[in-house]
mmCIF file of all heavy atoms in Angstrom:
data_model
loop_
_atom_site.group_PDB
_atom_site.id
_atom_site.type_symbol
_atom_site.label_atom_id
_atom_site.label_comp_id
_atom_site.label_asym_id
_atom_site.label_seq_id
_atom_site.Cartn_x
_atom_site.Cartn_y
_atom_site.Cartn_z
ATOM 1 N N ILE A 9 157.683 114.618 35.083
ATOM 2 C CA ILE A 9 158.639 115.415 35.698
ATOM 3 C C ILE A 9 157.994 115.988 37.004
ATOM 4 O O ILE A 9 156.875 116.629 36.871
ATOM 5 C CB ILE A 9 159.238 116.515 34.871
ATOM 6 C CG1 ILE A 9 159.821 115.867 33.586
ATOM 7 C CG2 ILE A 9 160.211 117.288 35.617
ATOM 8 C CD1 ILE A 9 160.234 116.899 32.523
ATOM 9 N N ASN A 11 159.071 118.533 40.290
ATOM 10 C CA ASN A 11 160.135 119.309 40.961
ATOM 11 C C ASN A 11 160.008 119.115 42.404
ATOM 12 O O ASN A 11 158.911 119.396 43.081
ATOM 13 C CB ASN A 11 159.986 120.763 40.649
ATOM 14 C CG ASN A 11 160.447 121.104 39.314
ATOM 15 O OD1 ASN A 11 161.570 120.956 38.974
ATOM 16 N ND2 ASN A 11 159.638 121.429 38.354
ATOM 17 N N HIS A 16 160.040 123.489 49.137
ATOM 18 C CA HIS A 16 159.531 122.162 49.569
ATOM 19 C C HIS A 16 159.892 122.033 50.992
ATOM 20 O O HIS A 16 160.852 122.484 51.566
ATOM 21 C CB HIS A 16 160.240 121.147 48.696
ATOM 22 C CG HIS A 16 159.644 119.744 48.868
ATOM 23 N ND1 HIS A 16 160.046 118.923 49.939
ATOM 24 C CD2 HIS A 16 158.738 119.136 48.139
ATOM 25 C CE1 HIS A 16 159.379 117.858 49.761
ATOM 26 N NE2 HIS A 16 158.585 117.838 48.752
ATOM 27 N N PRO A 17 158.844 121.435 51.768
ATOM 28 C CA PRO A 17 159.163 121.265 53.248
ATOM 29 C C PRO A 17 160.416 120.548 53.581
ATOM 30 O O PRO A 17 160.966 120.776 54.699
ATOM 31 C CB PRO A 17 157.973 120.404 53.657
ATOM 32 C CG PRO A 17 156.970 120.503 52.627
ATOM 33 C CD PRO A 17 157.687 120.721 51.387
ATOM 34 N N SER A 18 160.933 119.735 52.786
ATOM 35 C CA SER A 18 162.065 118.837 53.351
ATOM 36 C C SER A 18 163.386 118.971 52.378
ATOM 37 O O SER A 18 164.131 118.056 52.372
ATOM 38 C CB SER A 18 161.727 117.462 53.474
ATOM 39 O OG SER A 18 161.353 116.932 52.283
ATOM 40 N N GLU A 32 156.000 105.892 41.044
ATOM 41 C CA GLU A 32 156.821 106.480 42.318
ATOM 42 C C GLU A 32 158.262 106.433 42.148
ATOM 43 O O GLU A 32 159.085 107.002 42.949
ATOM 44 C CB GLU A 32 156.416 105.640 43.510
ATOM 45 C CG GLU A 32 154.963 105.915 43.969
ATOM 46 C CD GLU A 32 154.815 106.914 45.095
ATOM 47 O OE1 GLU A 32 155.854 107.132 45.870
ATOM 48 O OE2 GLU A 32 153.804 107.603 45.244
ATOM 49 N N ASP A 121 162.527 113.849 58.084
ATOM 50 C CA ASP A 121 162.380 113.481 56.679
ATOM 51 C C ASP A 121 161.941 112.046 56.561
ATOM 52 O O ASP A 121 161.302 111.688 55.547
ATOM 53 C CB ASP A 121 163.778 113.638 56.017
ATOM 54 C CG ASP A 121 164.090 114.979 55.775
ATOM 55 O OD1 ASP A 121 163.180 115.931 55.864
ATOM 56 O OD2 ASP A 121 165.300 115.386 55.733
ATOM 57 N N CYS A 122 162.231 111.222 57.432
ATOM 58 C CA CYS A 122 161.656 109.793 57.465
ATOM 59 C C CYS A 122 160.135 109.840 57.695
ATOM 60 O O CYS A 122 159.457 108.834 57.683
ATOM 61 C CB CYS A 122 162.373 108.972 58.536
ATOM 62 S SG CYS A 122 164.048 108.533 57.994
ATOM 63 N N TRP A 125 156.622 112.919 63.189
ATOM 64 C CA TRP A 125 155.859 114.060 63.225
ATOM 65 C C TRP A 125 156.449 115.004 64.130
ATOM 66 O O TRP A 125 155.958 115.185 65.196
ATOM 67 C CB TRP A 125 154.327 113.810 63.416
ATOM 68 C CG TRP A 125 153.468 114.913 63.041
ATOM 69 C CD1 TRP A 125 153.412 115.464 61.837
ATOM 70 C CD2 TRP A 125 152.479 115.519 63.741
ATOM 71 N NE1 TRP A 125 152.427 116.431 61.719
ATOM 72 C CE2 TRP A 125 151.851 116.398 62.867
ATOM 73 C CE3 TRP A 125 152.043 115.371 65.049
ATOM 74 C CZ2 TRP A 125 150.786 117.190 63.375
ATOM 75 C CZ3 TRP A 125 150.861 116.157 65.460
ATOM 76 C CH2 TRP A 125 150.453 117.049 64.698
ATOM 77 N N GLN A 126 157.711 115.560 63.940
ATOM 78 C CA GLN A 126 158.357 116.531 64.708
ATOM 79 C C GLN A 126 158.877 116.036 66.155
ATOM 80 O O GLN A 126 159.731 116.682 66.577
ATOM 81 C CB GLN A 126 157.474 117.741 64.956
ATOM 82 C CG GLN A 126 156.787 118.358 63.794
ATOM 83 C CD GLN A 126 157.773 119.200 62.977
ATOM 84 O OE1 GLN A 126 158.780 119.655 63.490
ATOM 85 N NE2 GLN A 126 157.477 119.566 61.775
ATOM 86 N N THR A 127 158.450 114.889 66.479
ATOM 87 C CA THR A 127 158.886 114.680 67.897
ATOM 88 C C THR A 127 160.299 114.492 68.162
ATOM 89 O O THR A 127 160.903 115.158 69.027
ATOM 90 C CB THR A 127 158.109 113.337 68.413
ATOM 91 O OG1 THR A 127 156.711 113.497 68.047
ATOM 92 C CG2 THR A 127 158.328 113.107 69.900
ATOM 93 N N MET A 130 162.052 117.925 68.132
ATOM 94 C CA MET A 130 161.794 118.763 69.244
ATOM 95 C C MET A 130 162.657 118.268 70.508
ATOM 96 O O MET A 130 163.193 119.015 71.266
ATOM 97 C CB MET A 130 160.338 118.701 69.642
ATOM 98 C CG MET A 130 159.408 119.385 68.678
ATOM 99 S SD MET A 130 159.715 121.178 68.805
ATOM 100 C CE MET A 130 158.930 121.738 67.317
ATOM 101 N N TRP A 131 162.734 116.895 70.661
ATOM 102 C CA TRP A 131 163.599 116.310 71.651
ATOM 103 C C TRP A 131 164.967 116.814 71.554
ATOM 104 O O TRP A 131 165.684 117.198 72.472
ATOM 105 C CB TRP A 131 163.443 114.856 71.775
ATOM 106 C CG TRP A 131 162.205 114.398 72.359
ATOM 107 C CD1 TRP A 131 160.936 114.803 72.086
ATOM 108 C CD2 TRP A 131 161.974 113.414 73.358
ATOM 109 N NE1 TRP A 131 160.067 114.166 72.825
ATOM 110 C CE2 TRP A 131 160.653 113.242 73.547
ATOM 111 C CE3 TRP A 131 162.906 112.570 73.993
ATOM 112 C CZ2 TRP A 131 160.017 112.372 74.582
ATOM 113 C CZ3 TRP A 131 162.440 111.668 74.940
ATOM 114 C CH2 TRP A 131 161.080 111.554 75.255
ATOM 115 N N GLU A 188 169.363 106.965 71.933
ATOM 116 C CA GLU A 188 169.721 105.686 71.304
ATOM 117 C C GLU A 188 168.656 104.633 71.586
ATOM 118 O O GLU A 188 168.310 103.857 70.653
ATOM 119 C CB GLU A 188 171.142 105.178 71.740
ATOM 120 C CG GLU A 188 172.179 106.005 71.295
ATOM 121 C CD GLU A 188 173.486 105.503 71.581
ATOM 122 O OE1 GLU A 188 173.616 104.560 72.424
ATOM 123 O OE2 GLU A 188 174.504 105.821 70.873
ATOM 124 N N MET A 192 167.409 103.987 67.861
ATOM 125 C CA MET A 192 168.205 102.943 67.082
ATOM 126 C C MET A 192 167.440 101.666 66.932
ATOM 127 O O MET A 192 167.702 100.953 66.090
ATOM 128 C CB MET A 192 169.467 102.766 67.914
ATOM 129 C CG MET A 192 170.401 103.752 67.644
ATOM 130 S SD MET A 192 171.948 103.372 68.401
ATOM 131 C CE MET A 192 173.054 104.548 67.601
ATOM 132 N N GLU A 193 166.475 101.365 67.911
ATOM 133 C CA GLU A 193 165.838 100.135 67.613
ATOM 134 C C GLU A 193 164.362 100.369 67.093
ATOM 135 O O GLU A 193 163.572 99.448 67.080
ATOM 136 C CB GLU A 193 165.705 99.321 69.014
ATOM 137 C CG GLU A 193 167.125 99.121 69.532
ATOM 138 C CD GLU A 193 167.076 97.808 70.168
ATOM 139 O OE1 GLU A 193 166.127 97.260 70.571
ATOM 140 O OE2 GLU A 193 168.336 97.238 70.365
ATOM 141 N N GLU A 195 161.707 100.176 64.753
ATOM 142 C CA GLU A 195 161.626 99.075 63.551
ATOM 143 C C GLU A 195 161.413 99.980 62.263
ATOM 144 O O GLU A 195 161.937 99.689 61.269
ATOM 145 C CB GLU A 195 160.397 98.253 63.878
ATOM 146 C CG GLU A 195 160.088 97.258 62.848
ATOM 147 C CD GLU A 195 160.814 95.988 62.947
ATOM 148 O OE1 GLU A 195 161.229 95.638 64.102
ATOM 149 O OE2 GLU A 195 161.069 95.328 61.951
ATOM 150 N N ALA A 199 163.615 100.209 58.930
ATOM 151 C CA ALA A 199 163.075 99.858 57.701
ATOM 152 C C ALA A 199 163.215 100.945 56.686
ATOM 153 O O ALA A 199 163.340 100.724 55.451
ATOM 154 C CB ALA A 199 161.581 99.392 57.812
ATOM 155 N N ARG A 200 163.028 102.061 57.065
ATOM 156 C CA ARG A 200 163.119 103.288 56.161
ATOM 157 C C ARG A 200 164.421 103.594 55.758
ATOM 158 O O ARG A 200 164.603 104.160 54.702
ATOM 159 C CB ARG A 200 162.400 104.524 56.820
ATOM 160 C CG ARG A 200 160.982 104.542 56.783
ATOM 161 C CD ARG A 200 160.436 104.451 55.331
ATOM 162 N NE ARG A 200 160.806 105.436 54.518
ATOM 163 C CZ ARG A 200 160.260 106.608 54.412
ATOM 164 N NH1 ARG A 200 159.308 106.897 55.198
ATOM 165 N NH2 ARG A 200 160.648 107.579 53.596
ATOM 166 N N ILE A 247 187.079 107.418 66.022
ATOM 167 C CA ILE A 247 186.307 107.871 64.907
ATOM 168 C C ILE A 247 185.211 106.755 64.608
ATOM 169 O O ILE A 247 185.694 105.663 64.340
ATOM 170 C CB ILE A 247 187.291 107.993 63.702
ATOM 171 C CG1 ILE A 247 188.390 108.944 63.909
ATOM 172 C CG2 ILE A 247 186.454 108.476 62.457
ATOM 173 C CD1 ILE A 247 187.967 110.281 64.309
ATOM 174 N N PRO A 248 183.946 107.127 64.734
ATOM 175 C CA PRO A 248 183.035 106.088 64.418
ATOM 176 C C PRO A 248 182.813 105.885 62.986
ATOM 177 O O PRO A 248 182.723 106.877 62.231
ATOM 178 C CB PRO A 248 181.773 106.627 65.077
ATOM 179 C CG PRO A 248 181.979 108.074 65.280
ATOM 180 C CD PRO A 248 183.482 108.249 65.252
ATOM 181 N N VAL A 249 182.718 104.673 62.494
ATOM 182 C CA VAL A 249 182.498 104.442 61.150
ATOM 183 C C VAL A 249 181.309 103.441 61.034
ATOM 184 O O VAL A 249 181.072 102.641 61.910
ATOM 185 C CB VAL A 249 183.676 103.816 60.442
ATOM 186 C CG1 VAL A 249 184.817 104.816 60.387
ATOM 187 C CG2 VAL A 249 184.144 102.500 60.947
ATOM 188 N N TYR A 256 171.147 104.756 57.125
ATOM 189 C CA TYR A 256 171.048 104.360 58.527
ATOM 190 C C TYR A 256 172.460 104.405 59.119
ATOM 191 O O TYR A 256 172.727 104.779 60.318
ATOM 192 C CB TYR A 256 170.552 102.979 58.557
ATOM 193 C CG TYR A 256 170.271 102.561 60.052
ATOM 194 C CD1 TYR A 256 169.253 103.122 60.761
ATOM 195 C CD2 TYR A 256 171.053 101.646 60.778
ATOM 196 C CE1 TYR A 256 168.991 102.838 62.102
ATOM 197 C CE2 TYR A 256 170.762 101.337 62.001
ATOM 198 C CZ TYR A 256 169.876 101.839 62.735
ATOM 199 O OH TYR A 256 169.505 101.522 63.932
ATOM 200 N N LEU A 260 173.790 106.381 62.295
ATOM 201 C CA LEU A 260 174.529 105.818 63.429
ATOM 202 C C LEU A 260 175.768 106.441 63.717
ATOM 203 O O LEU A 260 176.242 106.766 64.956
ATOM 204 C CB LEU A 260 174.948 104.401 63.138
ATOM 205 C CG LEU A 260 173.815 103.325 63.136
ATOM 206 C CD1 LEU A 260 174.409 101.959 62.941
ATOM 207 C CD2 LEU A 260 173.279 103.349 64.549
ATOM 208 N N ASP A 350 162.158 107.406 49.392
ATOM 209 C CA ASP A 350 163.652 107.038 49.652
ATOM 210 C C ASP A 350 164.532 108.280 49.401
ATOM 211 O O ASP A 350 165.476 108.535 50.116
ATOM 212 C CB ASP A 350 164.135 105.828 48.904
ATOM 213 C CG ASP A 350 163.534 104.601 49.499
ATOM 214 O OD1 ASP A 350 163.004 104.725 50.706
ATOM 215 O OD2 ASP A 350 163.640 103.521 48.971
ATOM 216 N N VAL D 73 149.905 116.248 71.683
ATOM 217 C CA VAL D 73 151.134 116.118 70.877
ATOM 218 C C VAL D 73 152.245 117.024 71.377
ATOM 219 O O VAL D 73 153.438 116.624 71.371
ATOM 220 C CB VAL D 73 150.863 116.249 69.394
ATOM 221 C CG1 VAL D 73 152.116 116.373 68.568
ATOM 222 C CG2 VAL D 73 149.968 115.117 68.910
ATOM 223 N N ILE D 76 153.865 115.383 74.118
ATOM 224 C CA ILE D 76 154.880 114.357 73.668
ATOM 225 C C ILE D 76 156.118 115.064 73.285
ATOM 226 O O ILE D 76 157.275 114.572 73.494
ATOM 227 C CB ILE D 76 154.217 113.599 72.570
ATOM 228 C CG1 ILE D 76 153.019 112.753 73.071
ATOM 229 C CG2 ILE D 76 155.234 112.565 71.962
ATOM 230 C CD1 ILE D 76 152.238 111.970 72.067
ATOM 231 N N GLN D 77 155.989 116.166 72.608
ATOM 232 C CA GLN D 77 157.154 116.834 72.144
ATOM 233 C C GLN D 77 157.784 117.839 72.990
ATOM 234 O O GLN D 77 158.470 118.719 72.528
ATOM 235 C CB GLN D 77 156.810 117.592 70.733
ATOM 236 C CG GLN D 77 156.225 116.564 69.744
ATOM 237 C CD GLN D 77 155.840 117.265 68.480
ATOM 238 O OE1 GLN D 77 155.659 118.482 68.510
ATOM 239 N NE2 GLN D 77 155.587 116.414 67.510
ATOM 240 N N LYS D 173 150.809 117.666 40.462
ATOM 241 C CA LYS D 173 151.474 116.318 40.492
ATOM 242 C C LYS D 173 151.543 115.672 41.810
ATOM 243 O O LYS D 173 151.372 114.489 42.025
ATOM 244 C CB LYS D 173 152.826 116.392 39.831
ATOM 245 C CG LYS D 173 152.822 116.694 38.353
ATOM 246 C CD LYS D 173 154.130 117.159 37.825
ATOM 247 C CE LYS D 173 153.973 117.576 36.457
ATOM 248 N NZ LYS D 173 155.117 118.297 36.085
ATOM 249 N N TYR D 174 151.860 116.443 42.856
ATOM 250 C CA TYR D 174 151.828 116.017 44.171
ATOM 251 C C TYR D 174 150.464 115.491 44.592
ATOM 252 O O TYR D 174 150.356 114.465 45.222
ATOM 253 C CB TYR D 174 152.218 117.005 45.200
ATOM 254 C CG TYR D 174 153.632 117.824 44.885
ATOM 255 C CD1 TYR D 174 153.473 119.192 44.622
ATOM 256 C CD2 TYR D 174 154.672 117.061 44.814
ATOM 257 C CE1 TYR D 174 154.640 119.857 44.269
ATOM 258 C CE2 TYR D 174 155.928 117.847 44.463
ATOM 259 C CZ TYR D 174 155.836 119.152 44.233
ATOM 260 O OH TYR D 174 156.950 119.817 43.843
ATOM 261 N N ARG D 181 148.396 107.142 45.967
ATOM 262 C CA ARG D 181 148.982 106.454 47.134
ATOM 263 C C ARG D 181 147.813 106.138 48.037
ATOM 264 O O ARG D 181 147.730 105.033 48.625
ATOM 265 C CB ARG D 181 149.927 107.313 47.919
ATOM 266 C CG ARG D 181 151.329 107.475 47.171
ATOM 267 C CD ARG D 181 152.046 108.419 48.002
ATOM 268 N NE ARG D 181 153.442 108.438 47.636
ATOM 269 C CZ ARG D 181 154.375 108.902 48.416
ATOM 270 N NH1 ARG D 181 154.066 109.438 49.594
ATOM 271 N NH2 ARG D 181 155.696 108.928 48.112
ATOM 272 N N THR D 245 149.882 110.138 61.085
ATOM 273 C CA THR D 245 151.399 109.920 60.807
ATOM 274 C C THR D 245 152.004 108.544 60.372
ATOM 275 O O THR D 245 152.583 108.505 59.345
ATOM 276 C CB THR D 245 152.225 110.600 61.843
ATOM 277 O OG1 THR D 245 152.151 112.009 61.531
ATOM 278 C CG2 THR D 245 153.785 110.261 61.747
ATOM 279 N N GLU D 253 153.872 115.049 54.103
ATOM 280 C CA GLU D 253 154.341 116.376 53.925
ATOM 281 C C GLU D 253 155.804 116.525 53.599
ATOM 282 O O GLU D 253 156.220 117.443 52.995
ATOM 283 C CB GLU D 253 154.054 117.269 55.133
ATOM 284 C CG GLU D 253 154.551 116.684 56.401
ATOM 285 C CD GLU D 253 155.027 117.818 57.343
ATOM 286 O OE1 GLU D 253 154.626 118.840 57.455
ATOM 287 O OE2 GLU D 253 155.867 117.440 58.202
ATOM 288 N N SER D 254 156.729 115.500 54.025
ATOM 289 C CA SER D 254 158.091 115.694 53.786
ATOM 290 C C SER D 254 158.362 115.155 52.454
ATOM 291 O O SER D 254 159.489 115.326 51.871
ATOM 292 C CB SER D 254 158.915 115.019 54.752
ATOM 293 O OG SER D 254 158.780 113.612 54.684
ATOM 294 N N GLU D 255 157.508 114.438 51.675
ATOM 295 C CA GLU D 255 157.760 113.965 50.398
ATOM 296 C C GLU D 255 156.934 114.733 49.310
ATOM 297 O O GLU D 255 157.527 115.236 48.389
ATOM 298 C CB GLU D 255 157.391 112.437 50.373
ATOM 299 C CG GLU D 255 158.251 111.584 51.212
ATOM 300 C CD GLU D 255 157.599 110.255 51.573
ATOM 301 O OE1 GLU D 255 156.652 109.881 50.854
ATOM 302 O OE2 GLU D 255 157.956 109.700 52.679
ATOM 303 N N GLY D 326 152.236 110.750 67.428
ATOM 304 C CA GLY D 326 153.323 111.577 67.906
ATOM 305 C C GLY D 326 154.610 110.748 67.973
ATOM 306 O O GLY D 326 155.650 111.343 68.155
ATOM 307 N N PRO D 329 157.653 107.144 63.043
ATOM 308 C CA PRO D 329 157.946 107.768 61.664
ATOM 309 C C PRO D 329 157.004 107.059 60.640
ATOM 310 O O PRO D 329 156.488 106.062 60.923
ATOM 311 C CB PRO D 329 159.369 107.382 61.423
ATOM 312 C CG PRO D 329 159.816 106.733 62.623
ATOM 313 C CD PRO D 329 158.744 106.258 63.425
ATOM 314 N N ARG D 330 156.970 107.624 59.441
ATOM 315 C CA ARG D 330 156.139 107.081 58.336
ATOM 316 C C ARG D 330 156.759 105.959 57.638
ATOM 317 O O ARG D 330 158.021 105.927 57.484
ATOM 318 C CB ARG D 330 155.891 108.313 57.431
ATOM 319 C CG ARG D 330 155.089 107.979 56.356
ATOM 320 C CD ARG D 330 155.081 109.063 55.187
ATOM 321 N NE ARG D 330 154.852 110.330 55.836
ATOM 322 C CZ ARG D 330 155.653 111.420 55.786
ATOM 323 N NH1 ARG D 330 156.786 111.334 55.011
ATOM 324 N NH2 ARG D 330 155.341 112.564 56.383
ATOM 325 N N ARG D 332 157.206 103.576 54.266
ATOM 326 C CA ARG D 332 157.028 103.809 52.804
ATOM 327 C C ARG D 332 155.952 103.027 52.276
ATOM 328 O O ARG D 332 155.410 102.092 52.911
ATOM 329 C CB ARG D 332 158.440 103.304 52.247
ATOM 330 C CG ARG D 332 158.891 104.106 51.002
ATOM 331 C CD ARG D 332 160.265 103.564 50.735
ATOM 332 N NE ARG D 332 160.383 102.057 50.753
ATOM 333 C CZ ARG D 332 161.515 101.554 51.140
ATOM 334 N NH1 ARG D 332 162.653 102.160 51.426
ATOM 335 N NH2 ARG D 332 161.585 100.169 51.103
ATOM 336 N N GLN D 335 156.318 99.328 51.906
ATOM 337 C CA GLN D 335 156.267 98.538 53.178
ATOM 338 C C GLN D 335 154.895 98.511 53.841
ATOM 339 O O GLN D 335 154.617 97.519 54.469
ATOM 340 C CB GLN D 335 157.244 99.359 54.194
ATOM 341 C CG GLN D 335 158.637 99.408 53.735
ATOM 342 C CD GLN D 335 159.460 100.292 54.569
ATOM 343 O OE1 GLN D 335 159.028 101.299 55.001
ATOM 344 N NE2 GLN D 335 160.792 100.187 54.333
ATOM 345 N N GLY D 396 160.873 90.883 61.178
ATOM 346 C CA GLY D 396 161.266 92.199 61.601
ATOM 347 C C GLY D 396 162.630 92.493 61.375
ATOM 348 O O GLY D 396 163.403 91.656 61.153
ATOM 349 N N PHE D 397 162.983 93.743 61.490
ATOM 350 C CA PHE D 397 164.339 94.125 61.344
ATOM 351 C C PHE D 397 165.062 94.231 62.730
ATOM 352 O O PHE D 397 166.228 93.806 62.910
ATOM 353 C CB PHE D 397 164.480 95.491 60.665
ATOM 354 C CG PHE D 397 164.105 95.524 59.272
ATOM 355 C CD1 PHE D 397 162.706 95.870 58.960
ATOM 356 C CD2 PHE D 397 164.935 95.171 58.248
ATOM 357 C CE1 PHE D 397 162.307 95.901 57.656
ATOM 358 C CE2 PHE D 397 164.631 95.234 56.960
ATOM 359 C CZ PHE D 397 163.299 95.621 56.750
ATOM 360 N N ALA D 398 164.344 94.799 63.612
ATOM 361 C CA ALA D 398 165.067 95.183 64.828
ATOM 362 C C ALA D 398 165.698 94.005 65.601
ATOM 363 O O ALA D 398 166.799 94.129 66.098
ATOM 364 C CB ALA D 398 164.135 95.850 65.874
ATOM 365 N N ARG D 399 164.989 92.904 65.623
ATOM 366 C CA ARG D 399 165.502 91.754 66.429
ATOM 367 C C ARG D 399 166.536 91.032 65.472
ATOM 368 O O ARG D 399 167.585 90.609 65.883
ATOM 369 C CB ARG D 399 164.276 90.918 66.823
ATOM 370 C CG ARG D 399 163.477 91.563 67.772
ATOM 371 C CD ARG D 399 163.977 91.556 69.231
ATOM 372 N NE ARG D 399 163.289 92.408 70.077
ATOM 373 C CZ ARG D 399 163.620 93.672 70.310
ATOM 374 N NH1 ARG D 399 164.686 94.222 69.900
ATOM 375 N NH2 ARG D 399 162.818 94.371 71.150
ATOM 376 N N ARG D 402 170.043 93.211 64.481
ATOM 377 C CA ARG D 402 170.073 94.190 65.532
ATOM 378 C C ARG D 402 171.026 95.293 65.211
ATOM 379 O O ARG D 402 172.070 95.040 64.796
ATOM 380 C CB ARG D 402 170.713 93.424 66.775
ATOM 381 C CG ARG D 402 170.360 94.227 68.080
ATOM 382 C CD ARG D 402 170.974 93.469 69.182
ATOM 383 N NE ARG D 402 170.685 94.142 70.404
ATOM 384 C CZ ARG D 402 169.563 94.004 71.133
ATOM 385 N NH1 ARG D 402 168.618 93.242 70.763
ATOM 386 N NH2 ARG D 402 169.373 94.777 72.213
ATOM 387 N N PRO D 403 170.372 96.524 65.245
ATOM 388 C CA PRO D 403 171.288 97.677 64.847
ATOM 389 C C PRO D 403 172.534 97.804 65.711
ATOM 390 O O PRO D 403 172.404 98.185 66.932
ATOM 391 C CB PRO D 403 170.350 98.775 65.015
ATOM 392 C CG PRO D 403 169.317 98.440 65.943
ATOM 393 C CD PRO D 403 169.184 96.944 65.837
ATOM 394 N N ARG D 404 173.648 97.560 65.134
ATOM 395 C CA ARG D 404 174.867 97.814 65.998
ATOM 396 C C ARG D 404 175.089 99.290 66.028
ATOM 397 O O ARG D 404 174.709 100.020 65.217
ATOM 398 C CB ARG D 404 176.064 97.052 65.311
ATOM 399 C CG ARG D 404 175.980 95.615 65.600
ATOM 400 C CD ARG D 404 176.794 94.826 64.576
ATOM 401 N NE ARG D 404 176.137 94.800 63.223
ATOM 402 C CZ ARG D 404 176.707 95.491 62.306
ATOM 403 N NH1 ARG D 404 177.798 96.269 62.472
ATOM 404 N NH2 ARG D 404 176.234 95.482 61.107
ATOM 405 N N ARG D 405 175.898 99.674 67.079
ATOM 406 C CA ARG D 405 176.342 100.983 67.011
ATOM 407 C C ARG D 405 177.383 101.094 65.939
ATOM 408 O O ARG D 405 178.005 100.143 65.387
ATOM 409 C CB ARG D 405 177.028 101.280 68.351
ATOM 410 C CG ARG D 405 175.888 101.574 69.353
ATOM 411 C CD ARG D 405 176.393 101.163 70.662
ATOM 412 N NE ARG D 405 175.093 100.829 71.520
ATOM 413 C CZ ARG D 405 174.526 101.597 72.283
ATOM 414 N NH1 ARG D 405 175.029 102.747 72.762
ATOM 415 N NH2 ARG D 405 173.418 101.279 72.906
ATOM 416 N N ARG D 407 181.094 101.453 64.386
ATOM 417 C CA ARG D 407 182.341 100.917 64.886
ATOM 418 C C ARG D 407 183.205 102.013 65.249
ATOM 419 O O ARG D 407 183.298 103.035 64.590
ATOM 420 C CB ARG D 407 182.900 100.115 63.771
ATOM 421 C CG ARG D 407 183.949 99.042 64.149
ATOM 422 C CD ARG D 407 183.834 97.932 63.098
ATOM 423 N NE ARG D 407 183.734 98.411 61.760
ATOM 424 C CZ ARG D 407 184.857 98.563 60.865
ATOM 425 N NH1 ARG D 407 186.007 98.335 61.410
ATOM 426 N NH2 ARG D 407 184.653 98.974 59.664
ATOM 427 N N ILE D 409 186.866 103.544 65.823
ATOM 428 C CA ILE D 409 188.208 103.289 65.312
ATOM 429 C C ILE D 409 189.187 104.410 65.897
ATOM 430 O O ILE D 409 188.877 105.561 65.833
ATOM 431 C CB ILE D 409 188.433 103.379 63.812
ATOM 432 C CG1 ILE D 409 187.544 102.121 63.313
ATOM 433 C CG2 ILE D 409 189.717 103.286 63.409
ATOM 434 C CD1 ILE D 409 187.566 102.178 61.814
#
Side-chain angles (χ1 to χ4, degrees):
Chain A
I9 301 172
N11 284 293
H16 188 277
S18 61
E32 289 263 333
D121 288 340
C122 291
W125 205 49
Q126 307 283 345
T127 307
M130 289 292 167
W131 283 48
E188 285 190 343
M192 279 189 171
E193 300 219 341
E195 181 89 25
R200 281 304 300 280
I247 305 300
V249 293
Y256 188 71
L260 283 184
D350 282 349
Chain D
V73 170
I76 292 175
Q77 300 178 348
K173 286 165 191 165
Y174 309 116
R181 285 173 168 202
T245 284
E253 51 143 29
S254 69
E255 294 157 21
R330 180 188 310 124
R332 212 168 49 212
Q335 294 163 345
F397 291 95
R399 295 280 170 264
R402 200 178 178 85
R404 283 161 292 107
R405 281 149 211 257
R407 204 146 44 90
I409 294 178

